[in-house]
Amino acid sequence: AQTVTQSQPEMSVQEAETVTLSCTYDTSESDYYLFWYKQPPSRQMILVIRQEAYKQQNATENRFSVNFQKAAKSFSLKISDSQLGDAAMYFCAYAGTASKLTFGTGTRLQVTL
Amino acid sequence: DGGITQSPKYLFRKEGQNVTLSCEQNLNHDAMYWYRQDPGQGLRLIYYSQIVNDFQKGDIAEGYSVSREKKESFPLTVTSAQKNPTAFYLCASSVLARFTEQFFGPGTRLTVL
């Protein structure tokens, strides 16, 4: 079974600074996707970014980018120029051949002035 | 607007009562999912369905039941057999394909009194 680990329960970043959230996963599959979801105080889950395992190039979406290290099974999220609206829970998720997602336990990101 | 709706937003139940949470989507997605979210535990899969009239147990199906009579609807019943039902419940849907991201509803907060 696949597992996803987020070892940072809480992180803090100053506005306009950069922060990196960590995620590691364990799988024996070679084809899979990885996702970062954001859950703001409204509790609505929002997809931030996704990465296809077969792609070597790291995905980017505006201020959000990932560092995907397939051999190390690591998938970190970098948020640049942090904004107050980035404050939320962030979940790393794995999607393999089974049609379901496996989530990590989340990292709460606080953004300070 | 296409999306997923969940109702009610807040639900209170007395011990020993069954209660049904509603989930409807108009995204024409084949697959639907129910997750439970507890503090510090991320999202855990309860049940999922890939086609009408068929569904599979997730990781924590005990004390829950579902039905999938229509493509658009996937209600979840929390039965009296569920020992600790107080939680936040999220419904999601996706196209029926490997590796695809899921789209989430706004959630229902269930509290047992």
Side-chain angles (χ1 to χ4, degrees):
Chain A
Q2 292 77 30
T3 58
V4 177
T5 302
Q6 293 179 251
S7 59
Q8 304 156 316
E10 293 189 12
M11 294 281 286
S12 183
V13 63
Q14 282 192 320
E15 202 177 14
E17 296 297 310
T18 296
V19 64
T20 299
L21 308 184
S22 300
C23 173
T24 59
Y25 59 95
D26 188 28
T27 184
S28 58
E29 297 177 320
S30 58
D31 289 335
Y32 52 87
Y33 276 34
L34 295 162
F35 304 92
W36 279 98
Y37 280 88
K38 170 185 178 181
Q39 188 179 42
S42 67
R43 305 198 78 169
Q44 176 76 55
M45 294 284 283
I46 303 163
L47 179 67
V48 174
I49 197 166
R50 73 175 190 175
Q51 173 77 43
E52 297 89 335
Y54 66 87
K55 287 188 177 179
Q56 292 186 339
Q57 186 174 8
N58 290 323
T60 62
E61 287 287 344
N62 301 314
R63 298 182 296 108
F64 298 87
S65 62
V66 299
N67 183 4
F68 174 51
Q69 301 290 328
K70 190 172 184 179
K73 295 181 181 173
S74 170
F75 182 60
S76 60
L77 174 69
K78 186 172 81 171
I79 306 174
S80 304
D81 186 26
S82 297
Q83 301 175 359
L84 293 176
D86 295 333
M89 282 289 288
Y90 286 83
F91 292 96
C92 178
Y94 171 100
T97 52
S99 297
K100 52 182 182 175
L101 291 175
T102 300
F103 286 87
T105 52
T107 296
R108 182 174 301 281
L109 179 66
Q110 188 177 30
V111 181
T112 59
L113 293 171
Chain B
D1 282 331
I4 302 173
T5 57
Q6 290 186 243
S7 61
K9 187 172 183 179
Y10 298 98
L11 188 57
F12 298 90
R13 186 194 98 176
K14 292 181 180 179
E15 281 194 31
Q17 287 182 336
N18 292 354
V19 64
T20 298
L21 283 59
S22 169
C23 177
E24 306 273 336
Q25 54 97 3
N26 61 4
L27 300 168
N28 200 33
H29 286 167
D30 288 301
M32 297 187 73
Y33 311 80
W34 273 106
Y35 293 91
R36 170 179 171 140
Q37 186 177 21
D38 295 285
Q41 294 194 47
L43 279 68
R44 293 183 290 167
L45 183 64
I46 304 172
Y47 268 98
Y48 65 103
S49 168
Q50 297 179 330
I51 194 171
V52 173
N53 293 322
D54 188 40
F55 46 82
Q56 287 77 41
K57 292 182 179 180
D59 301 318
I60 56 164
E62 185 176 351
Y64 300 96
S65 66
V66 293
S67 62
R68 187 86 185 278
E69 296 177 1
K70 298 188 299 182
K71 185 176 182 178
E72 302 79 17
S73 178
F74 191 41
L76 173 75
T77 297
V78 184
T79 75
S80 56
Q82 169 50 234
K83 292 185 171 62
N84 185 19
T86 294
F88 187 66
Y89 291 88
L90 283 159
C91 178
S93 71
S94 71
V95 298
L96 189 60
R98 294 191 304 171
F99 317 134
T100 186
E101 66 260 36
Q102 295 176 11
F103 296 84
F104 286 81
T108 293
R109 173 69 184 178
L110 172 64
T111 302
V112 173
L113 302 173

